[in-house]
Amino acid sequence: DTGVSQDPRHKITKRGQNVTFRCDPISEHNRLYWYRQTLGQGPEFLTYFQNEAQLEKSRLLSDRFSAERPKGSFSTLEIQRTEQGDSAMYLCASSLVVEWGAKNIQYFGAGTRLSVL
Amino acid sequence: KQEVTQIPAALSVPEGENLVLNCSFTDSAIYNLQWFRQDPGKGLTSLLLIQSSQREQTSGRLNASLDKSSGRSTLYIAASQPGDSATYLCAATFANFGNEKLTFGTGTRLTIIP
């Protein structure tokens, strides 16, 4: 088990460009989460998937953001027309939850740090 | 609105001392409370998770407690070491959100002085 992997680790882009991040969860984890963390703050929830279904999206996730988990394994987060305010660390987490209300330990990846110039 | 607060934002302690980190939350309808460690520029490492039916969890030199009635959790670190220096984040899931998203505090940056 290699843990949660995120790629790339760092991304520098110019304002207005599109970027895509990838997350590979721990194998057999059915839940996958995306969070965003800005400097000096705790992570903020963006969205999560149960298998391939996207079940909840935060108000933080504007229409420029889209996330997919097409086969219930890896996930991608795309940001279109990036803005300087999108600069942050984007964290992915996964967990295995076998029934609603059960213990839900989320394991985090190292994150993708996005800088929009 | 559920909020999680951590005070102080930063703490410095001489090596070898025992210390307590504090976390408070505004909604007693809590599902789980999880403590994480974050090293600079890195992701989060899960330390302990306390379910709402539990009062504490222990792992090595770490002990986390949960008091739902007062809306507080503490992380106790015994015999602190320089390697414990990091930012410690607490995060809660709340019952009315189905135990999904974590709501994080802003963290306490801990420095252990050799």
Side-chain angles (χ1 to χ4, degrees):
Chain A
D1 189 345
T2 58
V4 178
S5 298
Q6 291 189 245
D7 184 70
R9 293 293 310 279
H10 304 277
K11 179 69 176 179
I12 301 173
T13 191
K14 293 182 179 179
R15 188 175 53 188
Q17 297 294 305
N18 300 341
V19 294
T20 300
F21 311 141
R22 177 181 170 122
C23 172
D24 287 89
I26 294 172
S27 60
E28 299 183 2
H29 275 193
N30 55 352
R31 296 205 177 156
L32 188 148
Y33 305 80
W34 286 98
Y35 292 83
R36 180 173 69 186
Q37 185 178 26
T38 53
L39 200 62
Q41 301 297 312
E44 295 175 292
F45 170 82
L46 292 178
T47 187
Y48 91 96
F49 294 82
Q50 166 117 347
N51 300 313
E52 67 276 9
Q54 188 174 18
L55 296 186
E56 186 176 348
K57 292 168 57 174
S58 164
R59 290 191 305 273
L60 294 174
L61 215 64
S62 75
D63 56 7
R64 295 185 298 106
F65 288 71
S66 62
E68 295 182 342
R69 194 182 184 198
K71 298 182 179 180
S73 56
F74 73 91
S75 175
T76 58
L77 177 67
E78 180 183 16
I79 308 175
Q80 296 182 327
R81 305 181 302 280
T82 52
E83 302 173 355
Q84 288 185 322
D86 297 331
S87 296
M89 175 81 87
Y90 290 83
L91 293 163
C92 176
S94 71
S95 67
L96 176 64
V97 179
V98 297
E99 62 182 7
W100 292 100
K103 183 185 290 189
N104 181 4
I105 300 177
Q106 297 184 25
Y107 297 89
F108 282 77
T112 293
R113 181 169 296 283
L114 173 67
S115 297
V116 182
L117 304 179
Chain B
K1 178 183 176 183
Q2 289 90 0
E3 292 185 348
V4 177
T5 304
Q6 293 182 254
I7 296 173
L11 180 66
S12 294
V13 174
E15 180 180 1
E17 287 199 0
N18 304 326
L19 63 101
V20 174
L21 303 179
N22 296 303
C23 173
S24 60
F25 46 91
T26 56
D27 189 342
S28 62
I30 190 170
Y31 244 69
N32 297 319
L33 190 128
Q34 199 165 352
W35 282 92
F36 295 88
R37 169 189 172 131
Q38 186 172 34
D39 292 288
K42 302 292 180 61
L44 280 67
T45 301
S46 178
L47 299 174
L48 290 165
L49 180 144
I50 311 175
Q51 293 180 282
S52 60
S53 59
Q54 300 172 321
R55 292 192 64 89
E56 64 179 310
Q57 283 286 313
T58 298
S59 176
R61 295 182 294 109
L62 305 180
N63 176 277
S65 68
L66 176 64
D67 184 342
K68 291 194 298 179
S69 62
S70 66
R72 296 181 64 183
S73 176
T74 61
L75 179 68
Y76 174 84
I77 303 176
S80 58
Q81 304 170 357
D84 295 331
S85 297
T87 296
Y88 290 81
L89 294 151
C90 68
T93 56
F94 295 98
N96 56 353
F97 287 100
N99 190 29
E100 301 314 329
K101 65 178 183 180
L102 288 165
T103 300
F104 283 85
T106 53
T108 295
R109 188 173 69 252
L110 176 65
T111 302
I112 304 301
I113 305 166

